[in-house]
Amino acid sequence: MRKLAVARLWYEGNSFSPIPTELSVFEAREYFEGSAAKDFYRGTKTEIGAVVDFAERSRDWSVEFLLCAAAPPGGMMAQDAFAMIRDTILDGLGRDQWDAVYLSLHGATVTEATPTPELELLQAVRHVIGRTPLAVTFDLHANLGAAMIDLVDIAIGYKTYPHIDMAEVGARAVALAVETVEGRIRPVCALAKVPAILTSFNMRTTDGPMQELAELAGEWRRRDGILDASIFGGFAYGDSPFAGASALVTADGERALAEDAAQELAREIAARRDRFTVTLPSAAEGIAKALAAPGNGPAAVVDPADNPLSGGIGDTPALFRALLDAKPKVPTVFGFFFDPALVARAHREGEGATLDAKLGGRITDAFGAPIAVKARVLRLTDGKFRNLGPMEHNLPVDLGQTALLEVKGFQVIVTERCQTPNDPGYFALHGIDLDKVGLLCVKAKNHFRAGFTPLTRVIVDVDCPGPAASNLRHYRFKHAPKSLYPLNQ
């Protein structure tokens, strides 16, 4: 029986966030090995969920689940956390001889010590496994470099944003690894970079320039000899020498074909560069626009600059301040503020208690001063639910303890852990019936649309100060090439 080793390090790091991400953040979300990993991911629409399905269907392959670690995007990963995960994966790989290895990576990890830790991991993995076939998957927002791709045999990325095809991508990577071991294909990879850092505000694959690029990549995937073609928008807030968009193609034995396809797709990305730049309304303008929208269901206002899945800190107050100023006359929910101390106070005082509190500006006042409020505790939870929507469907989520507060008639969710309200289960946990909500204000971005487009009458993105704002000139890049647009302007 052949042997497949599987491991995961999935983390997107914002180089400009003030909060480093420690090992405990991974342990609180995904940090599993062996049978515990199989149990956790079974039935989930994730890469490792797809591998569990393969392992339980296959009679010819034995699958070993080494460390599978993931954390919500945030600030730079603590170096000791990366070292622990890297060394655990390497120790597992060194325990046996493998016929193939599959790594589920993000591609935009940065640590306190290095802007390219995934290159370091791939180099170390290749040293341990020799010429064993190595398949790797990446997030659509990966910052990829040729040095990384030179180390792998199979490399493919998500095709959708919001990312609802994680399981399909993981299944495809494993299938190609199996075909490689069985001698049916000879994969070769080619990467072509685009000299631009693109923000992801207008990067959804459901419309606009990224939809067009996704269709072009799909045309290449249907050509003879092409095993995969993936478009990568890159992660704008990851300060890396590999920053910027790219195209990645895996072909069957024909390097020239892979290179031609990657270069052609990179040219198509470059031709659409300016269409990824957007101008967003202010928070006040966005709230007014949302409230005026016709139709049924809540109107949603989204603050992408403090989206935790872009490295936001769940602490900026601008959208909430605009909400207080607007005084909407409809049932309103604000999700969320990340404030463990306030959550602990609410749990000590209990439901029904009234608290003097400050919302936002706790971590830093660089994006706005705290807002003093009187808050009544409406509901307390343990923060645990499973995703109901299409992204990471059925994956367990743990927000830590949470509190639902009432502030000036609005419902405000406060959490112990900083995680985006991207799934309807987030609100169901707090007893919120979205059918009865008129205005929903959230710290989120495009992934929010996967679960909430069918549930809302309009979704309006707004421009607020935060760690992931649309104007990249707010940030001081140290590692990204100065030749990249817009750094060269």
Side-chain angles (χ1 to χ4, degrees), residues 15 107-118 143 238-242 479-480:
S15 302
T109 302
V110 292
T111 73
E112 296 169 309
T114 175
T116 58
E118 284 153 312
N143 289 330
D239 185 10
S240 164
F242 300 151
H479 304 289

Side-chain angles (χ1 to χ4, degrees), residues 99-449:
D99 294 283
V101 174
Y102 165 55
L103 298 181
S104 166
L105 302 182
H106 185 286
T109 302
V110 292
T111 73
E112 296 169 309
T114 175
T116 58
E118 284 153 312
L119 171 60
E120 178 184 323
L121 174 61
L122 288 169
Q123 289 170 330
V125 167
R126 182 54 78 189
H127 177 75
V128 171
I129 69 173
R131 291 312 311 162
T132 299
L134 173 59
V136 182
T137 55
F138 296 105
D139 190 287
L140 179 144
H141 296 108
N143 289 330
L144 298 180
M148 298 168 65
I149 304 306
D150 288 345
L151 292 163
V152 308
D153 299 285
I154 297 157
I156 63 177
Y158 302 164
K159 307 300 186 293
T160 63
Y161 181 35
H163 305 325
I164 58 175
D165 66 334
M166 295 175 174
E168 290 81 359
V169 169
R172 179 62 174 161
V174 171
L176 292 178
V178 169
E179 290 184 42
T180 301
V181 172
E182 294 176 350
R184 290 185 280 149
I185 59 172
R186 296 181 297 111
V188 292
C189 300
L191 179 76
K193 295 293 293 184
V194 178
I197 299 176
L198 307 177
T199 60
S200 61
F201 293 83
N202 193 32
M203 200 176 279
R204 296 179 296 276
T205 52
T206 54
D207 56 86
M210 204 61 166
Q211 181 186 45
E212 297 168 8
L213 292 167
E215 290 173 354
L216 291 171
E219 292 175 6
W220 275 104
R221 289 194 296 274
R222 290 188 288 273
R223 298 192 187 189
D224 290 343
I226 300 293
L227 301 174
D228 186 78
S230 300
I231 301 289
F232 294 88
F235 182 54
Y237 312 104
D239 185 10
S240 164
F242 300 151
S246 57
L248 175 62
V249 176
T250 301
D252 186 6
E254 298 184 62
R255 186 168 300 280
L257 176 61
E259 291 173 349
D260 288 347
Q263 291 293 338
E264 174 60 26
L265 287 171
R267 286 191 289 269
E268 295 287 356
I269 300 170
R272 292 163 174 78
R273 183 194 73 182
D274 294 341
R275 293 171 58 193
F276 287 96
T277 301
V278 300
T279 301
L280 301 177
S282 69
E285 292 167 340
I287 290 171
K289 180 179 178 181
L291 290 172
N296 299 316
V301 177
V302 177
D303 176 10
D306 199 26
N307 167 39
L309 287 186
S310 297
I313 55 178
D315 184 56
T316 65
L319 178 58
F320 189 68
R321 191 178 298 279
L323 179 63
L324 294 178
D325 292 341
K327 301 181 177 65
K329 304 302 183 186
V330 298
T332 298
V333 174
F334 187 92
F336 68 112
F337 283 108
F338 163 50
D339 192 334
L342 180 54
V343 171
R345 279 181 59 201
H347 277 257
R348 285 197 304 270
E349 297 293 332
E351 293 179 358
T354 299
L355 310 174
D356 290 316
K358 292 182 178 179
L359 298 178
R362 173 182 65 86
I363 297 167
T364 174
D365 62 4
F367 307 116
I371 302 171
V373 300
K374 278 196 177 298
R376 184 166 66 93
V377 181
L378 298 177
R379 186 183 182 96
L380 302 170
T381 88
D382 63 2
K384 296 179 180 179
F385 65 96
R386 283 183 179 267
N387 283 331
L388 302 173
M391 183 173 169
E392 297 182 322
H393 179 74
N394 203 39
L395 189 74
V397 178
D398 187 351
L399 304 174
Q401 290 187 320
T402 75
L404 179 65
L405 308 180
E406 181 185 3
V407 177
K408 293 188 178 298
F410 308 141
Q411 295 183 77
V412 180
I413 297 171
V414 185
T415 65
E416 186 179 8
R417 294 177 182 151
C418 187
Q419 297 195 46
T420 307
N422 272 342
D423 191 88
Y426 192 110
F427 298 96
L429 169 70
H430 295 93
I432 295 170
D433 182 351
L434 292 174
D435 288 337
K436 298 179 180 178
V437 173
L439 181 64
L440 181 62
C441 295
V442 294
K443 295 177 179 290
K445 201 173 182 177
N446 288 322
H447 289 314
F448 176 82
R449 294 172 183 263

Side-chain angles (χ1 to χ4, degrees), residues 4 6-8 10 29-30 32 34-58 63 65-66 68-70 102-104 137 158 165-174 386 392-396:
L4 172 68
V6 177
R8 173 171 166 89
W10 191 93
R29 172 171 159 147
E30 296 176 40
F32 301 99
S35 59
K38 289 180 68 175
D39 292 342
F40 180 81
Y41 292 106
R42 183 181 290 108
T44 65
K45 291 282 288 180
T46 63
E47 298 96 305
I48 308 302
V51 182
V52 173
D53 184 58
F54 168 80
E56 294 180 340
R57 285 187 295 105
S58 177
V63 181
F65 291 86
L66 308 179
C68 296
Y102 165 55
L103 298 181
S104 166
T137 55
Y158 302 164
D165 66 334
M166 295 175 174
E168 290 81 359
V169 169
R172 179 62 174 161
V174 171
R386 283 183 179 267
E392 297 182 322
H393 179 74
N394 203 39
L395 189 74

